[in-house]
Amino acid sequence: MGRLKIVRAEYAGACYGVQRALDLTLETAESGKAVCTLGPLIHNPQVVSELESQGIRVAQGVDDCKDEAVVIRSHGVVPEVIDVLNERGNEVVDATCPHVQRAQRAAARLARDGYHVLVVGEAGHPEVEGILAHASREGEHCTVVGSVEDIPDELTEPVGIVVQTTQSHQKLDQIVEALQARGIEPMVKDTICFATVQRQDAARDLASSVDVMLVIGGRNSSNTTRLYEMCQQCGNAVYHVESAREIDRAWFDEVSSVGISAGASTPEKQIQEVVSYLETL
Ligand code: SF4
């Protein structure tokens, strides 16, 4: 086989918020404190087990936190969780992504100003629950809207919108248009984060210009899985791997170029391991 050309997508791997959460967690542990994360820090099994091997425990809920520093994940939490931890005297390491905090603040402000707040996002997702709870503290009309069908028949005007950071502009536009069709002009706080879109666009561009595409990241990471599915649509061979160990050399027989993409929850180290392995082929 000739030398394999390895091309990395322009945007790939850990986003700002995920990297920040990892750094804050490790810094806290390095300072000698006992640390737990409230739920798995990110959707990446390798990272979670690596943290566990450094003594950083996953707490299943507030009641499972001992006398430890408690890391709040990048998704954020409902404000009561932080209140309870403070009351109990736990140190809170708030790794809520600043983009998520912006959405929480925007929701609270709209509710305080008397808007019926529509949170566009996936019901039950921790980030959405957190945003909703920030709004519900300030006003009584707050609703999660996953699609146009979820828009309530009864709306108290004025109507304000905030958006889960990983939602698409297409979804937001559909909801705004449905409201406008009812004669309602909502106040839109566009809190979508570009990290996801940038990774998707870059992966799609690359997938159509290489022979084989590798998408690196947890199988339980929805943004990684979405990248994989988008690359599959480009027609070339695509493999989703969690680590270099899963790579089969046979994938690269008769192949001259391989593209690399990785989800927003995939740390740089995992990408580098895959690249180093490919360089040995
Ligand atoms: S995807 Fe965006 S909002 Fe979510 S953690 Fe990453 S940077 Fe923050």
Side-chain angles (χ1 to χ4, degrees), residues 15-18 74 97 99-100 165-166 193 195-196 264:
C15 62
Y16 166 74
V18 162
S74 54
C97 176
H99 294 299
V100 175
T165 54
T166 47
C193 162
T196 314

